[in-house]
Each structure stands twice: as structure tokens, then as C-alpha cells.
Amino acid sequence: MPPHTALVAVSKTQPVEVIREAYAAGQRAFGESRPQALRDKAPKLPADIEWHFIGHLQRNKIKLVVGLAHTIHSADSEKLLVELNEEAGRQQCIQRCLLQVRVAQEETKYGFTPAGLCALAATGFFAQLPCLQIAGLMGMATLTNDTEQIRREFRTLKKVYTELKQTYFPTDAAFCELSMGMSNDYAIAVAEGSTIVRIGSAIFEN
Ligand SMILES: *Cc1c(COP(=O)(O)O)cnc(C)c1O
């Protein structure tokens, strides 16, 4: 991995013993996609693990994740952001979040559309979330063998990132992350400017 790219080891299908082995080998950032699994695993593992929440977050599960996750990669709607901000306020913490953008050609993927996200940003919405640190964008490419399609989708994500950064976060050093790339497509993601890759099966299943 190039030095500017961080690795989140996606441990969502792994038991705590396996996570402990990866920790012993030096890995500190792990990704979980279910709130209950995060809540159950985290107390059994070293406290200096950086937990990344990467799955769709239902609003009734927000309490399990806020304050425990170092970064929530999947802030995917206006309503969710409002409620994350409220919960962080109740817990008196600042929750770091990434905005999930839908760039894949798949109906089931969550996230803001690029146009929807830019329109929301233009309303000043992101300046009204004092208990959230908006740290960048996350996205997933279509699950396909067409590498040019994957590349186009990551380029779209990078373009939205750059637009938001320049227009709404120009002096905000915290807005700096582009979370893109999984086992199948991380090499393309890194070439297109990813700062965080989220890799599960390529690490844990061999
Ligand atoms: C499962 C998952 C990953 C890791 O996928 P692999 O193909 O196992 O590397 C990355 N990001 C998200 C959002 C996931 O749900």
C-alpha cells in the first residue's frame, strides 16, 4: 500500500481470536458492519483498536455505534446525520463521519447521489452539525469485472470529493479522507486517490 493510504482490515466475518492475531501482527484499524457485532467484539479486544463502522446504520442502532467507532464510513442520509449529531451531543463527543456516496450501477447500494450531496452541501447543512466531524467521503464501486467501469466510478467519487473540499471545506483540515477500495478493486482505488482502503476477504480468507 502506498504510504498515503490507510488500511482498514474488515473483520466483520471474523471472530475476536482472529482479530487478536491481526492486532498482534500490528494491525490497529478494523472494520465492522453490524452495530451489535461491534458492541460485542470491542470490549473483548485491546482498547487502542480503531474501529471503523462501514455498514448501513439503522437509526435505532445509532446509540451502539456513536462514541465507540473512531469513524463511521456510512453516513448515508440527511436524517441519519441529524440523529448522529444529536446522539454525539448527548454523549458529549465529536463523532467522526464520512458521507457515503452512491456511484455504483446497483439499485441496492445506500448513499447520497453526487447531485443530491452537492445540493445538500449548498444549503449549509454540514455547518449545522457541531457534534460531527465530517472527514470526507466513502463509496463502493459496482461489483463487476469491468475495470474501466470501476475506474470511472472511483473517478466520480474523487471528483465529488474535490468539489466539496474546494467549495465547502477549503480550510477544514479534517475533511481529508476518501474511503474507497475493497479486496477486488483496491489497486484501482489507490491509483484514483483513495486514502483508506477497506479490505476483508483478501486479508482474512486464504
Ligand atoms: C465487507 C465490506 C468490505 C470488505 O469487502 P472485501 O471484499 O471482503 O474486501 C468493504 N467495505 C464495505 C462497506 C463492506 O461491507
Side-chain angles (χ1 to χ4, degrees), residues 30-32 35 38-39 42 49-54 57 62-74 84 91 93-97:
F30 292 91
E32 290 288 331
L38 175 62
R39 179 200 54 195
I49 285 182
E50 209 180 77
W51 292 104
H52 291 250
F53 189 81
I54 62 172
L57 184 52
I62 284 174
K63 280 191 181 65
L64 301 181
V65 176
V66 169
L68 182 53
H70 172 275
T71 304
I72 297 172
H73 290 230
S74 44
L84 286 168
Q91 295 190 23
C93 69
I94 302 290
Q95 178 62 57
R96 188 169 189 259
C97 296

Side-chain angles (χ1 to χ4, degrees), residues 163-180:
E163 273 177 34
L164 285 183
K165 176 76 185 162
Q166 285 172 353
T167 311
Y168 303 105
F169 300 91
T171 60
D172 183 354
F175 189 94
C176 63
E177 304 283 19
L178 189 51
S179 169
M180 61 186 194

Side-chain angles (χ1 to χ4, degrees), residues 7-117:
L7 168 64
V8 171
V10 175
S11 52
K12 63 189 181 192
T13 58
Q14 303 301 322
V16 291
E17 295 72 38
V18 174
I19 300 174
R20 204 172 279 124
E21 277 174 38
Y23 179 91
Q27 181 64 29
R28 291 294 177 272
F30 292 91
E32 290 288 331
S33 63
R34 290 179 45 243
Q36 295 93 328
L38 175 62
R39 179 200 54 195
D40 294 346
K41 288 175 179 179
K44 299 180 181 138
L45 287 157
D48 65 338
I49 285 182
E50 209 180 77
W51 292 104
H52 291 250
F53 189 81
I54 62 172
H56 177 63
L57 184 52
Q58 288 174 302
R59 280 149 57 210
N60 61 355
K61 303 282 167 57
I62 284 174
K63 280 191 181 65
L64 301 181
V65 176
V66 169
L68 182 53
H70 172 275
T71 304
I72 297 172
H73 290 230
S74 44
D76 60 6
S77 74
E78 186 176 344
K79 266 185 171 160
L80 180 62
L81 282 158
V82 167
E83 295 194 17
L84 286 168
N85 182 62
E86 284 171 4
E87 179 59 24
R90 276 191 288 273
Q91 295 190 23
Q92 298 186 302
C93 69
I94 302 290
Q95 178 62 57
R96 188 169 189 259
C97 296
L98 305 180
L99 306 170
Q100 184 173 350
V101 183
R102 188 164 72 225
V103 290
Q105 303 293 313
E106 285 164 9
E107 288 295 324
T108 57
K109 295 271 158 83
Y110 293 102
F112 294 97
T113 62
L117 184 59

Side-chain angles (χ1 to χ4, degrees), residues 1 5 20 26 35-36 39 78 113 130 133 137 155 163 169 182 190 203:
M1 230 44 85
T5 308
R20 204 172 279 124
Q36 295 93 328
R39 179 200 54 195
E78 186 176 344
T113 62
Q133 181 187 82
L137 306 184
R155 280 193 182 157
E163 273 177 34
F169 300 91
M182 309 177 22
V190 168
I203 297 176

